[in-house]
Amino acid sequence: MNADPKTLHSLLADAPNRWGRWGPNDEIGALNFLGEREVRQGLAAIRQARTFTLGVPIATDRGDPVFPGRWPARHFMVADKAGFTAGHWHPLHGGLEFADDYVTGFAQAGTHCDALGHMWFDDTLWNGYPAASTNGGMTKAGIMPIAERGIVGRGVLLDIARFRGKAALGRGETITHHDLVECARAQGVEILPRSILMVRTGWVGALLGGRETITDTYWEPGLTFSLDLVRWFDAMEIPCLVTDTLANETTYEPDTGMMLVLHAALMRNLGIVFTEMAWLDDLAERAAADRQFDGLFCGSPAKVSKGTGGSINPVFIR
Amino acid sequence: MNADPKTLHSLLADAPNRWGRWGPNDEIGALNFLGEREVRQGLAAIRQARTFTLGVPIATDRGDPVFPGRWPARHFMVADKAGFTAGHWHPLHGGLEFADDYVTGFAQAGTHCDALGHMWFDDTLWNGYPAASTNGGMTKAGIMPIAERGIVGRGVLLDIARFRGKAALGRGETITHHDLVECARAQGVEILPRSILMVRTGWVGALLGGRETITDTYWEPGLTFSLDLVRWFDAMEIPCLVTDTLANETTYEPDTGMMLVLHAALMRNLGIVFTEMAWLDDLAERAAADRQFDGLFCGSPAKVSKGTGGSINPVFIR
Amino acid sequence: MNADPKTLHSLLADAPNRWGRWGPNDEIGALNFLGEREVRQGLAAIRQARTFTLGVPIATDRGDPVFPGRWPARHFMVADKAGFTAGHWHPLHGGLEFADDYVTGFAQAGTHCDALGHMWFDDTLWNGYPAASTNGGMTKAGIMPIAERGIVGRGVLLDIARFRGKAALGRGETITHHDLVECARAQGVEILPRSILMVRTGWVGALLGGRETITDTYWEPGLTFSLDLVRWFDAMEIPCLVTDTLANETTYEPDTGMMLVLHAALMRNLGIVFTEMAWLDDLAERAAADRQFDGLFCGSPAKVSKGTGGSINPVFIR
Amino acid sequence: MNADPKTLHSLLADAPNRWGRWGPNDEIGALNFLGEREVRQGLAAIRQARTFTLGVPIATDRGDPVFPGRWPARHFMVADKAGFTAGHWHPLHGGLEFADDYVTGFAQAGTHCDALGHMWFDDTLWNGYPAASTNGGMTKAGIMPIAERGIVGRGVLLDIARFRGKAALGRGETITHHDLVECARAQGVEILPRSILMVRTGWVGALLGGRETITDTYWEPGLTFSLDLVRWFDAMEIPCLVTDTLANETTYEPDTGMMLVLHAALMRNLGIVFTEMAWLDDLAERAAADRQFDGLFCGSPAKVSKGTGGSINPVFIR
């Protein structure tokens, strides 16, 4: 990587910023763009009324793929039939027995939304909240306001992998907003303002299928920073970015080696909600067959108290 | 309680049973009733396109209310600003810092769906699967097939608490299917076949507000068993029962003291999906004001691998 | 409780303080008193060479007693025979199968030692370390140095409950250092300087036996603050205080209502290591029979990285 | 590996077995060899009265080394100074603040003892208990009886790494009982009957130092099976085997590829308690300098209810 001393502070000095746009107490950012009009826009995109669920399995035996530094969610049985037979549990009056289980994992386990305050620089979160508001639990820009609101609107699938004729993008392979626009054009679908973008790279499928693994030099494919890209997301008033990668953008900027720049430029500065690690392969296969790429995106993450994020299993109706 | 030696086996000897109806491999039961026609029915009920989220907060500081025998979900910060200052974490290249967190809790934490195999008697789960299939993780009738499918259809709010002029039903207060029908009539809404029933007792609000607490003699209000009630749910082809109580039914049958009989009669025998501990108060207040009680219920629980249930934060659009 | 505006700051203004006594980097405090001479003193007290283990069970089904604000440790099976039969696990080459399990709980679960930095006031821990050194993990005065060192010396059982003719002290019942001395005299044992004090109240036995429960107004019996008591502990160079209560002292000072004053006076100021929730009943019964109250106390808490405490199952040999 | 169809059943057909030796209810096996006479033997070996603690750190930031299939213990801060500043916590009456923390991990986290029932073949545990007694929690041959008893006796360090002139044994490098005897002779120490053997390979030091890592083809060095070795352990009445490897024996038998054969031959059949992952490097360095290799081994694992094992931080006094 480049030893360039650039920082996010200097890199984003001229980039757009929406702090204060929805008042000093806003914690949902670009979700403000999703009102009744946008819900109707999503509803209008439904044709067959067929549903898809976009969450990945959680707490799998083999260990879920997680961003380096995290560790997989885990599933534990608390009660099962064998436990009743062994006498650890006793049937309820009348005869009912039960299975029960426990899960441990990051709030951002599996498919999840980031809270707007999940990442920051210059000691300041989305909307100007101080970084110290994360101490001991999110008191500002946590996942709760997002989870209270829900994310409902017109979703547009942009199947970049298929557009590039690949099963999955390669390590570190990048995408620009021009690619998004061209992919949409090739698909015959329009990215309208305030659409929820669902960008498919095939990457989560490769991870779950064991064709890619997470190593110390992990470098995801995905969107890559440019001022123009940020301005495009700003102008398009994109409320939510959904991808099938762990972090919604290429891990390092190729030029500077800076990490996760779009978390700074789109999430912290513009308030765009990131929905990461979505399962888009089934939807994409169907869409490739019948050429319908939009529909209603409908979901809301778990209401994790003080959380930096929350799991979500979004429903897509088309 | 009554010393009556009745068991679920004898109690439900003449009750309806749908095992095999959707083939020997079915794991979603009455969700089979929710097809494209039923999704459209839900869509047709939308008027203002206003959304509500029906999940309760998870892992709150005071300890979430849980059914006796379980314990509350918990939230732990892993990284926060103070951890960066203290040197436990280092900024990413470019300057990003982050907050991260961890959650432990039952798979059925907060608002959640039960898997059809969560409870059983006579060593047999929904659709005839052996109880031993729960050992070490659900291999049959777990939450995964339900979470893959999603729950989308017309939801009907039945605000029993308001119908009875109460903030919340009392301990052990019961509801019959006749009450549901009368409540619907009073509300001016119809319970159509295949509607998702959303029964409000005010109970979760009372628990969260500290007006009710969970004790060793915990006895929730809710639906109470009768053969007629079971037949009514069967005939109406109700796919999913949503309530604002921890277990969707009164804890003990008043006559016999048997526990959670509807889990046997409706879930195990008829394959009706139980969505428990939903937050219905905000929706109910709005509905009471504008007299609109139906809409699109849209959600899907977390895809917990081998899980007995999964958290859900359903979206209701009306 | 008294509305007296007293604070620990003023209460302990004239109390002894050992900060700096063992240099600016000390993290084990009064354990410095336990050298080879003191180990020999413990060895010399051994007569029958009979051993006792002083830990309480952890992660019990009924929920371990914990100080209000904490919650019980929990035990989860990960693998068992039923899991092999169900196909979740496969025998190792050759045929071995295995049971495996997981535990979640506070670092201070069950019988445990507090790190010297576990509690503080005036923003300063033991030895003058800043309170901010606790942020994100103990970087000063955590449990690691204590766990590296171990706690080995002459232990003296002071069976206050038996001395007072009770199965267990009552709620809020207090003990002074005079009581300790008189109890020792009645038992015919001497509290030598640098002895590890093992004070039995019968309280943990009452909690484990269900005769006492933990409520919102929980008020343990135990040692109560006086300047004289602190000076006595100082002069006697007591390295470690072991009791069979959750917090080693009466919860509230009767006069002022201040909480856990000895954690401030003995632990934070004098560096005395607190070993809490020890199981002393079996040892006490034997000692009452043969009138031998001293022996070798030998144990070391778990080396919990950055921990505020660590579980310990001490061995007592007499 | 060899495709030899041998099984533990056939391999150990003629190997010694002690089931029933201490009655049908025994759960501590060879610890029965440690009585007052053996404790005195350990005490007699003490010279300087210097103590060592033999536990490894738990829940480290980098992730503790664990046997493949397990995952590292983790440490979470619950309360720290920053959490008080942020208002998540409030000082106790009088002014005390506190740090508190939580740990999740396998019962066999860090340095630990295996319960005698932790591993089995032919559906039968130590002493003939059925494998089904592991279901839902250890009801037979769990860690509790061992933790109640404690492990106290004469420990003998056998520094095989130093004996072979290595910092650490290599992957898959094996040790026989002849090596143990020769190492003892070279060290000038005697392996008396009923000694606790502490076999040092340097392996845990290599793992903690990052010189060895855990991969899918993980193959530890250590003791390797032979009938003679088993008979030697039997004849010597070894109560407890302590090593600085994750599993106390070489992972695979070189000839047959069978895994963890000594867990079957020594633990399941002879009731020898395995203490794994001990930290022996500091002790070994000291012993190499002053040529004293024996002393008192004193410790007891955590009393994990129904546990398959328990963490231990043993104290060694010499």
Side-chain angles (χ1 to χ4, degrees):
Chain A
M1 284 168 219
N2 195 318
D4 187 319
K6 267 186 184 169
T7 60
L8 290 167
H9 179 88
S10 57
L11 185 73
L12 301 180
D14 299 324
N17 181 302
R18 291 179 182 144
W19 296 2
R21 173 168 178 164
W22 293 286
N25 298 318
D26 179 76
E27 300 178 293
I28 62 170
L31 290 190
N32 284 291
F33 291 133
L34 293 178
E36 292 168 8
R37 199 176 60 89
E38 287 74 24
V39 173
R40 288 188 190 287
Q41 211 165 32
L43 291 168
I46 297 172
R47 287 186 247 176
Q48 305 99 318
R50 173 156 178 177
T51 62
F52 294 81
T53 60
L54 307 184
V56 293
I58 295 177
T60 56
D61 281 352
R62 58 184 301 175
D64 308 344
V66 289
F67 203 79
R70 288 187 184 145
W71 50 91
R74 296 292 175 179
H75 177 252
F76 303 90
M77 288 308 281
V78 172
D80 58 16
K81 177 63 196 177
F84 276 88
T85 304
H88 299 297
W89 300 93
H90 302 286
L92 305 183
H93 187 59
L96 269 187
E97 296 179 336
F98 50 84
D100 220 351
D101 46 358
Y102 203 74
V103 177
T104 64
F106 278 82
Q108 297 182 22
T111 310
H112 67 272
C113 296
D114 287 1
L116 292 183
H118 166 47
M119 288 192 137
W120 66 86
F121 66 92
D122 283 355
D123 280 348
T124 322
L125 316 180
W126 160 250
N127 215 27
Y129 297 118
S133 67
T134 65
N135 290 347
M138 304 295 282
T139 48
K140 295 290 177 187
I143 198 65
M144 280 295 286
I146 289 172
E148 286 291 348
R149 171 81 170 212
I151 306 171
V152 186
R154 176 183 180 256
V156 179
L157 175 68
L158 300 166
D159 188 349
I160 300 290
R162 207 169 243 101
F163 175 59
R164 292 190 180 167
K166 298 178 170 187
L169 301 199
R171 299 187 189 186
E173 184 173 345
T174 56
I175 310 169
T176 68
H177 59 298
H178 298 299
D179 297 323
L180 299 183
V181 171
E182 285 172 34
C183 174
R185 187 176 305 132
Q187 291 179 173
V189 70
E190 199 176 356
I191 304 175
L192 298 170
R194 305 196 174 185
S195 292
I196 295 166
L197 299 190
M198 303 154 70
V199 179
R200 178 175 174 271
T201 66
W203 187 255
V204 156
L207 285 171
L208 294 178
R211 295 181 299 279
E212 292 287 350
T213 56
I214 293 172
T215 64
D216 288 346
T217 56
Y218 185 69
W219 193 328
E220 288 196 329
L223 288 163
T224 189
F225 169 80
S226 71
L227 269 183
D228 274 357
L229 176 140
V230 178
R231 286 172 184 143
W232 183 85
F233 270 85
D234 185 26
M236 292 295 287
E237 299 188 337
I238 302 300
C240 178
L241 173 65
V242 181
T243 80
D244 64 345
T245 62
L246 302 192
N248 268 13
E249 58 174 307
T250 189
T251 312
Y252 301 95
E253 286 307 310
D255 293 346
T256 62
M258 286 193 215
M259 279 187 79
L260 302 182
V261 171
L262 296 183
H263 277 73
L266 300 185
M267 188 173 85
R268 172 191 181 265
N269 284 0
L270 296 184
I272 296 172
V273 171
F274 278 25
T275 300
E276 298 170 330
M277 211 181 164
W279 177 250
L280 301 175
D281 286 12
D282 292 335
L283 174 62
E285 193 164 322
R286 181 76 180 185
D290 69 3
R291 312 300 298 165
Q292 182 181 348
F293 293 90
D294 59 349
L296 181 77
F297 181 99
C298 182
S300 195
K303 292 181 177 170
V304 179
S305 177
K306 302 183 181 179
T308 72
S311 292
I312 186 172
N313 183 7
V315 174
F316 190 77
I317 312 176
R318 27 154 278 167
Chain B
M1 285 168 217
N2 194 320
D4 186 319
K6 268 187 185 169
T7 60
L8 290 167
H9 179 88
S10 57
L11 186 73
L12 301 179
D14 299 324
N17 182 301
R18 291 180 182 144
W19 297 2
R21 173 168 179 161
W22 293 285
N25 298 319
D26 180 76
E27 300 179 294
I28 61 170
L31 290 190
N32 284 291
F33 292 133
L34 293 178
E36 293 168 9
R37 199 175 61 88
E38 288 72 25
V39 173
R40 289 189 191 285
Q41 211 166 33
L43 292 167
I46 296 172
R47 288 186 245 177
Q48 306 98 318
R50 174 158 177 175
T51 62
F52 295 81
T53 59
L54 307 184
V56 293
I58 296 177
T60 56
D61 281 352
R62 59 183 299 174
D64 309 344
V66 290
F67 204 80
R70 289 187 183 144
W71 50 92
R74 295 294 175 178
H75 178 253
F76 304 90
M77 287 309 281
V78 171
D80 58 16
K81 176 64 196 177
F84 276 88
T85 304
H88 299 297
W89 300 94
H90 302 286
L92 305 183
H93 186 59
L96 270 187
E97 296 179 337
F98 50 85
D100 220 351
D101 48 357
Y102 203 75
V103 177
T104 64
F106 278 81
Q108 297 182 23
T111 310
H112 66 272
C113 297
D114 287 2
L116 293 183
H118 166 48
M119 287 192 139
W120 67 86
F121 67 92
D122 282 355
D123 280 347
T124 321
L125 316 180
W126 160 250
N127 215 26
Y129 297 119
S133 67
T134 65
N135 290 347
M138 304 295 280
T139 48
K140 295 291 176 187
I143 199 64
M144 280 295 286
I146 289 171
E148 287 290 349
R149 171 82 170 213
I151 306 170
V152 185
R154 174 180 181 259
V156 180
L157 176 68
L158 300 166
D159 189 348
I160 300 289
R162 208 170 244 100
F163 175 59
R164 292 189 179 167
K166 298 178 170 187
L169 301 199
R171 300 187 188 184
E173 184 173 344
T174 56
I175 309 169
T176 69
H177 60 296
H178 297 299
D179 296 323
L180 299 182
V181 171
E182 284 172 33
C183 174
R185 187 176 304 131
Q187 290 179 173
V189 68
E190 198 176 357
I191 304 175
L192 298 170
R194 305 197 174 185
S195 292
I196 296 166
L197 299 190
M198 304 155 68
V199 179
R200 179 176 174 271
T201 66
W203 188 255
V204 156
L207 285 172
L208 294 178
R211 294 182 298 281
E212 292 288 350
T213 55
I214 294 171
T215 64
D216 289 345
T217 56
Y218 186 68
W219 194 329
E220 290 196 329
L223 289 162
T224 190
F225 169 80
S226 70
L227 269 183
D228 274 357
L229 177 139
V230 179
R231 286 172 184 144
W232 182 84
F233 270 86
D234 185 27
M236 292 295 287
E237 298 188 338
I238 303 299
C240 178
L241 173 66
V242 182
T243 79
D244 64 344
T245 62
L246 303 192
N248 268 14
E249 59 175 307
T250 189
T251 312
Y252 301 94
E253 286 306 311
D255 293 345
T256 63
M258 286 193 216
M259 279 188 79
L260 303 181
V261 172
L262 296 183
H263 277 72
L266 300 184
M267 187 173 86
R268 171 192 181 266
N269 284 0
L270 296 184
I272 296 172
V273 172
F274 278 26
T275 300
E276 298 170 330
M277 211 179 163
W279 178 248
L280 301 175
D281 285 12
D282 292 334
L283 173 62
E285 194 164 322
R286 182 75 179 186
D290 69 4
R291 310 300 298 165
Q292 182 182 348
F293 293 91
D294 59 349
L296 181 77
F297 181 98
C298 182
S300 195
K303 291 181 178 170
V304 179
S305 177
K306 301 183 180 179
T308 72
S311 292
I312 186 172
N313 183 5
V315 174
F316 190 78
I317 313 177
R318 24 155 279 166
Chain C
M1 284 169 220
N2 195 319
D4 186 319
K6 268 186 183 169
T7 60
L8 290 167
H9 180 88
S10 57
L11 185 73
L12 302 179
D14 299 324
N17 182 301
R18 292 178 182 145
W19 296 3
R21 173 168 178 162
W22 294 286
N25 299 319
D26 179 76
E27 300 179 293
I28 61 170
L31 290 190
N32 284 291
F33 291 134
L34 293 178
E36 292 168 8
R37 199 174 62 88
E38 287 73 26
V39 173
R40 288 186 192 288
Q41 212 166 32
L43 292 168
I46 297 172
R47 288 185 246 177
Q48 305 99 318
R50 175 157 177 175
T51 61
F52 295 81
T53 59
L54 308 183
V56 294
I58 296 177
T60 55
D61 282 352
R62 58 184 300 173
D64 309 343
V66 291
F67 204 79
R70 289 185 184 147
W71 51 92
R74 295 293 176 180
H75 177 253
F76 304 90
M77 288 309 281
V78 172
D80 59 14
K81 177 63 197 177
F84 276 88
T85 304
H88 300 296
W89 300 93
H90 301 287
L92 305 183
H93 186 59
L96 270 187
E97 296 180 336
F98 50 84
D100 221 351
D101 47 357
Y102 202 75
V103 177
T104 64
F106 278 83
Q108 297 182 23
T111 310
H112 66 272
C113 298
D114 286 2
L116 293 183
H118 166 47
M119 288 192 137
W120 67 86
F121 66 92
D122 282 356
D123 280 347
T124 321
L125 316 180
W126 160 250
N127 216 26
Y129 298 118
S133 67
T134 65
N135 290 347
M138 303 296 281
T139 48
K140 295 290 177 187
I143 199 65
M144 280 295 285
I146 289 171
E148 286 291 349
R149 171 81 169 212
I151 305 171
V152 186
R154 175 181 180 256
V156 180
L157 176 69
L158 300 166
D159 189 348
I160 300 289
R162 207 170 244 101
F163 176 60
R164 292 189 180 168
K166 297 177 172 187
L169 302 198
R171 299 186 189 186
E173 184 173 345
T174 56
I175 310 170
T176 69
H177 59 296
H178 298 299
D179 297 322
L180 299 182
V181 170
E182 284 171 35
C183 174
R185 187 176 304 132
Q187 291 179 174
V189 69
E190 199 176 355
I191 304 175
L192 298 170
R194 306 197 174 185
S195 292
I196 295 166
L197 299 190
M198 304 154 69
V199 179
R200 180 176 174 270
T201 66
W203 188 255
V204 156
L207 285 172
L208 295 178
R211 294 181 299 279
E212 292 288 349
T213 55
I214 294 171
T215 64
D216 288 346
T217 56
Y218 186 68
W219 193 329
E220 289 196 329
L223 289 163
T224 189
F225 169 80
S226 71
L227 269 183
D228 275 358
L229 176 140
V230 179
R231 286 172 185 144
W232 182 85
F233 269 85
D234 185 26
M236 292 297 286
E237 299 187 337
I238 302 300
C240 178
L241 173 65
V242 182
T243 80
D244 64 344
T245 62
L246 302 191
N248 268 12
E249 59 175 307
T250 190
T251 312
Y252 302 95
E253 286 307 311
D255 293 345
T256 63
M258 287 193 215
M259 279 187 79
L260 302 182
V261 172
L262 296 183
H263 277 73
L266 300 185
M267 188 173 85
R268 172 191 181 266
N269 285 0
L270 296 184
I272 296 172
V273 172
F274 278 26
T275 300
E276 298 170 331
M277 212 180 162
W279 178 250
L280 301 175
D281 286 12
D282 292 335
L283 174 62
E285 193 164 322
R286 182 75 179 186
D290 69 6
R291 310 303 297 167
Q292 183 181 347
F293 293 89
D294 59 350
L296 181 77
F297 182 98
C298 181
S300 195
K303 291 181 177 171
V304 179
S305 178
K306 302 183 180 179
T308 72
S311 292
I312 186 172
N313 184 5
V315 174
F316 190 77
I317 313 177
R318 25 153 278 167
Chain D
M1 284 169 219
N2 195 318
D4 187 319
K6 268 185 182 169
T7 60
L8 290 167
H9 180 88
S10 57
L11 185 73
L12 301 179
D14 300 325
N17 182 300
R18 291 177 182 146
W19 296 3
R21 173 168 178 163
W22 293 287
N25 298 319
D26 179 76
E27 301 179 292
I28 62 169
L31 290 190
N32 284 292
F33 291 133
L34 294 178
E36 292 168 9
R37 198 175 62 88
E38 288 72 26
V39 173
R40 288 188 190 288
Q41 212 166 31
L43 292 167
I46 297 172
R47 288 186 247 178
Q48 304 99 319
R50 174 156 177 177
T51 63
F52 295 80
T53 59
L54 307 184
V56 293
I58 295 176
T60 56
D61 282 352
R62 59 183 300 174
D64 309 344
V66 290
F67 204 79
R70 288 185 183 145
W71 49 93
R74 297 292 176 180
H75 177 253
F76 304 90
M77 288 309 282
V78 172
D80 58 15
K81 177 64 197 178
F84 277 88
T85 304
H88 299 297
W89 301 93
H90 302 287
L92 305 183
H93 186 58
L96 270 187
E97 296 179 337
F98 51 85
D100 220 351
D101 47 358
Y102 203 74
V103 177
T104 63
F106 278 82
Q108 297 183 22
T111 310
H112 67 272
C113 297
D114 286 1
L116 292 183
H118 166 47
M119 288 192 138
W120 67 85
F121 66 93
D122 282 356
D123 280 349
T124 320
L125 316 180
W126 160 250
N127 215 27
Y129 296 119
S133 68
T134 66
N135 290 347
M138 304 295 281
T139 48
K140 295 291 177 187
I143 199 64
M144 280 295 286
I146 289 172
E148 285 291 348
R149 171 83 170 212
I151 306 171
V152 185
R154 175 182 179 254
V156 179
L157 175 68
L158 300 166
D159 189 347
I160 300 289
R162 207 169 245 102
F163 175 59
R164 292 189 180 169
K166 298 178 170 187
L169 301 199
R171 299 186 189 185
E173 184 173 344
T174 56
I175 309 169
T176 68
H177 59 296
H178 298 299
D179 296 323
L180 299 182
V181 170
E182 285 171 34
C183 174
R185 187 176 306 132
Q187 290 179 174
V189 70
E190 199 176 356
I191 304 175
L192 298 170
R194 305 197 173 185
S195 292
I196 294 166
L197 299 190
M198 304 154 70
V199 179
R200 179 176 174 270
T201 66
W203 187 254
V204 156
L207 285 172
L208 294 178
R211 295 182 299 281
E212 292 288 349
T213 55
I214 293 171
T215 64
D216 288 346
T217 55
Y218 185 68
W219 192 329
E220 289 196 329
L223 289 162
T224 189
F225 169 80
S226 70
L227 269 183
D228 275 357
L229 177 139
V230 178
R231 286 171 185 146
W232 182 85
F233 270 85
D234 185 26
M236 292 296 287
E237 299 187 337
I238 302 300
C240 177
L241 173 65
V242 182
T243 79
D244 63 344
T245 61
L246 302 192
N248 268 13
E249 59 174 308
T250 190
T251 312
Y252 301 95
E253 286 307 310
D255 293 344
T256 62
M258 288 193 215
M259 279 187 78
L260 302 181
V261 171
L262 296 182
H263 277 72
L266 300 185
M267 188 172 84
R268 172 191 181 265
N269 284 0
L270 296 184
I272 296 172
V273 171
F274 277 26
T275 301
E276 298 170 330
M277 213 180 163
W279 178 249
L280 301 175
D281 285 13
D282 292 335
L283 173 62
E285 193 164 323
R286 182 75 180 184
D290 69 4
R291 310 302 298 166
Q292 183 181 348
F293 293 90
D294 59 348
L296 181 77
F297 181 97
C298 182
S300 196
K303 291 180 178 170
V304 179
S305 177
K306 302 183 180 177
T308 72
S311 292
I312 186 172
N313 183 7
V315 174
F316 190 77
I317 312 177
R318 24 155 277 167

